[in-house]
Amino acid sequence: MKVLVAVKRVVDYNVKVRVKSDGTGMDIAGVKMSMNPFDEIAVEEAVRLKEKGSATEVIAVSCGVAACGETLRTAMAIGADRGLLVETDAELQPLAVAKLLKAIAEREQPGLVILGKQAIDDDANQTGQMLAALLGWPQATFASRLEVEGDGARVTREVDGGLETIAIKLPAVVTTDLRLNEPRYVTLPNIMKAKKKPLDTLSPADLGVDVAPRLQTLKVSEPPRRGAGVKVPDVATLVSRLKTEAKVI
């Protein structure tokens, strides 16, 4: 069984991003970029499935600028067998990415597609669900445990009320949550090996997908600064301020 894993290049989670002065977006010039943490968990889970014998090949896919090839090399250093880059300079929105992944899934015929539940830059949490709908495959989102059993899988997923375990038939789409696993440390020998693994490049046109944005960002602004806290002498004063000033009760 092939496992297809989608990875996204995002601003590193340790970087504090700033809004551009003209309000058109975030200023990411010169900042450190890395693999989306949820996608890193997805790659780790796919590699573990291969190590258990449940998968025969792990294919990492990324959509975006040429620098996304570096993210794919990281995925291959974790353990992916090969990489596939859909290179484009266009702004990619979730639906466009889902269409690209659908075309790749139809080409590669994987038994399982694993994605991070969301990217830490836009927090959209849409691509996995859209992909499952486009393919007509079962889906299991927010997975905290994944067990492949024959032609099906059991997925424990995190919901508002706790944990929910569902059974799905393969092929399927699974999106990962933080508690699914802890990605392994990438060693230097594996980084060197990743440089020799195959990395193919396609364009959206090669896949017959129109990636033109359907949504327009009108303005981006920073949230208002949080005011300093104040001390109150007693509960009565606190309740009074919550009623008259904060107007929350």
Side-chain angles (χ1 to χ4, degrees), residues 5 36-43 45-46 114-118 140-144 146 174-181:
V5 185
N36 178 47
F38 291 101
D39 297 341
E40 192 174 1
I41 292 170
V43 176
E45 191 65 21
I114 308 180
L115 311 84
K117 71 172 184 178
Q118 65 193 72
T141 56
F142 316 138
S144 61
L146 172 62
V174 174
T175 69
T176 62
D177 214 329
L178 283 175
R179 279 160 286 278
L180 180 59
N181 61 54

Coordinates of all heavy atoms in Angstrom, one line a residue, residues 5 36-43 45-46 114-118 140-144 146 174-181:
V5 N 1.6 11.6 1.6 CA 1.6 12.6 2.7 C 1.8 14.0 2.2 O 2.7 14.2 1.4 CB 2.7 12.3 3.7 CG1 2.6 13.2 4.9 CG2 2.6 10.8 4.2
N36 N 5.3 22.5 8.3 CA 4.1 22.6 9.2 C 4.1 21.5 10.3 O 4.3 20.3 9.9 CB 2.8 22.6 8.4 CG 1.6 22.7 9.3 OD1 1.5 23.5 10.2 ND2 0.6 21.8 9.1
P37 N 4.1 21.8 11.6 CA 4.2 20.8 12.6 C 3.2 19.6 12.5 O 3.6 18.5 12.7 CB 4.0 21.6 13.9 CG 4.4 23.0 13.6 CD 4.0 23.2 12.2
F38 N 2.0 19.9 12.1 CA 1.0 18.9 12.0 C 1.4 17.9 10.8 O 1.1 16.7 10.9 CB -0.4 19.5 11.8 CG -1.0 20.1 13.0 CD1 -0.9 21.5 13.1 CD2 -1.5 19.4 14.0 CE1 -1.5 22.2 14.2 CE2 -2.0 20.0 15.1 CZ -2.0 21.4 15.2
D39 N 2.0 18.5 9.8 CA 2.4 17.7 8.6 C 3.6 16.8 9.0 O 3.8 15.7 8.5 CB 2.8 18.6 7.4 CG 1.6 19.4 6.9 OD1 0.4 18.9 7.2 OD2 1.7 20.4 6.2
E40 N 4.5 17.3 9.9 CA 5.6 16.5 10.3 C 5.1 15.3 11.1 O 5.7 14.2 10.9 CB 6.5 17.4 11.2 CG 7.8 16.8 11.6 CD 8.7 17.7 12.3 OE1 8.3 18.8 12.7 OE2 9.9 17.3 12.7
I41 N 4.0 15.5 11.8 CA 3.4 14.3 12.5 C 2.8 13.3 11.5 O 2.9 12.1 11.7 CB 2.3 14.8 13.5 CG1 2.9 15.6 14.6 CG2 1.5 13.7 14.0 CD1 1.9 16.3 15.5
A42 N 2.3 13.9 10.4 CA 1.7 13.0 9.4 C 2.8 12.2 8.7 O 2.6 11.0 8.4 CB 1.0 13.9 8.3
V43 N 4.0 12.8 8.4 CA 5.1 12.1 7.8 C 5.6 11.0 8.8 O 5.8 9.8 8.3 CB 6.2 13.0 7.5 CG1 7.4 12.3 6.9 CG2 5.8 14.1 6.4
E45 N 3.9 9.4 11.1 CA 3.0 8.3 11.1 C 3.0 7.4 9.9 O 3.0 6.2 10.0 CB 1.5 8.9 11.3 CG 0.5 7.8 11.7 CD 0.7 7.2 13.0 OE1 1.4 7.8 13.9 OE2 0.2 6.0 13.2
A46 N 3.2 8.0 8.7 CA 3.3 7.3 7.5 C 4.6 6.4 7.5 O 4.5 5.2 7.1 CB 3.4 8.2 6.3
I114 N -2.5 11.0 4.2 CA -2.4 11.6 5.5 C -1.9 13.0 5.4 O -1.0 13.3 4.7 CB -1.4 10.8 6.4 CG1 -1.7 9.3 6.4 CG2 -1.4 11.3 7.8 CD1 -0.7 8.5 7.3
L115 N -2.6 13.9 6.1 CA -2.3 15.3 6.1 C -2.4 15.8 7.6 O -3.0 15.2 8.4 CB -3.3 16.2 5.3 CG -3.7 15.8 3.9 CD1 -4.8 14.8 3.9 CD2 -4.1 17.0 3.1
G116 N -1.7 16.9 7.8 CA -1.9 17.6 9.1 C -3.3 18.2 9.1 O -3.9 18.5 8.1
K117 N -3.9 18.3 10.3 CA -5.3 18.7 10.4 C -5.4 20.2 10.0 O -6.5 20.6 9.5 CB -5.8 18.6 11.8 CG -5.3 19.5 12.9 CD -6.0 19.4 14.2 CE -5.5 20.4 15.2 NZ -6.3 20.3 16.5
Q118 N -4.3 21.0 10.1 CA -4.4 22.4 9.7 C -2.9 22.9 9.6 O -2.0 22.3 10.1 CB -5.1 23.2 10.7 CG -4.5 23.3 12.1 CD -5.4 23.9 13.1 OE1 -6.4 23.2 13.6 NE2 -5.1 25.1 13.6
A140 N -11.2 10.6 8.2 CA -11.1 10.6 9.7 C -10.2 11.8 10.1 O -9.0 11.8 9.8 CB -10.5 9.3 10.2
T141 N -10.8 12.8 10.7 CA -10.0 14.0 11.0 C -9.6 14.0 12.5 O -10.2 13.3 13.3 CB -10.9 15.2 10.8 OG1 -12.1 15.1 11.5 CG2 -11.3 15.4 9.3
F142 N -8.6 14.8 12.8 CA -8.1 15.0 14.2 C -7.7 13.7 14.8 O -8.0 13.4 16.0 CB -9.1 15.7 15.1 CG -9.8 16.8 14.4 CD1 -11.2 17.0 14.6 CD2 -9.1 17.7 13.6 CE1 -11.9 18.1 14.0 CE2 -9.8 18.8 13.0 CZ -11.1 19.0 13.2
A143 N -6.9 12.9 14.1 CA -6.6 11.5 14.5 C -5.5 11.6 15.6 O -4.5 12.3 15.5 CB -6.1 10.7 13.4
S144 N -5.8 10.9 16.7 CA -4.8 10.8 17.8 C -4.2 9.4 17.9 O -3.3 9.1 18.7 CB -5.4 11.2 19.2 OG -6.5 10.4 19.5
L146 N -3.9 5.8 15.0 CA -4.2 5.2 13.7 C -3.7 3.7 13.6 O -2.6 3.5 13.9 CB -3.6 6.0 12.6 CG -3.7 5.5 11.2 CD1 -5.1 5.3 10.7 CD2 -2.9 6.4 10.2
V174 N -6.9 10.8 6.1 CA -6.8 11.0 7.6 C -6.0 12.3 7.9 O -5.0 12.5 7.2 CB -6.0 9.8 8.2 CG1 -5.8 10.1 9.7 CG2 -6.8 8.5 8.1
T175 N -6.5 13.1 8.8 CA -5.8 14.3 9.2 C -5.3 14.1 10.6 O -6.0 13.5 11.5 CB -6.6 15.6 9.1 OG1 -7.7 15.5 10.0 CG2 -7.2 15.7 7.7
T176 N -4.1 14.6 10.9 CA -3.4 14.2 12.2 C -3.6 15.4 13.2 O -3.6 16.5 12.9 CB -2.0 14.0 12.0 OG1 -1.3 15.2 11.4 CG2 -1.8 12.9 11.0
D177 N -3.7 14.9 14.5 CA -3.7 15.9 15.6 C -2.3 15.8 16.3 O -1.5 14.9 16.0 CB -4.8 15.5 16.6 CG -5.4 16.8 17.2 OD1 -4.6 17.8 17.4 OD2 -6.6 16.8 17.5
L178 N -2.1 16.6 17.3 CA -0.8 16.7 17.9 C -0.4 15.4 18.7 O 0.7 15.1 18.8 CB -0.8 17.9 18.9 CG -0.6 19.3 18.2 CD1 -0.7 20.4 19.3 CD2 0.8 19.4 17.5
R179 N -1.4 14.8 19.3 CA -1.1 13.6 20.1 C -1.0 12.3 19.4 O -0.9 11.3 20.0 CB -2.2 13.5 21.2 CG -1.9 14.5 22.4 CD -3.2 14.8 23.2 NE -4.1 15.6 22.5 CZ -4.0 17.0 22.5 NH1 -3.0 17.6 23.1 NH2 -4.9 17.7 21.8
L180 N -1.0 12.3 18.1 CA -0.8 11.1 17.3 C 0.5 10.5 17.5 O 0.7 9.2 17.7 CB -1.1 11.3 15.8 CG -1.0 10.1 14.9 CD1 -1.9 9.1 15.3 CD2 -1.2 10.6 13.5
N181 N 1.6 11.3 17.5 CA 2.9 10.7 17.8 C 3.9 11.9 18.0 O 3.5 13.1 18.0 CB 3.4 9.9 16.6 CG 3.5 10.8 15.3 OD1 4.1 11.8 15.2 ND2 2.9 10.3 14.2

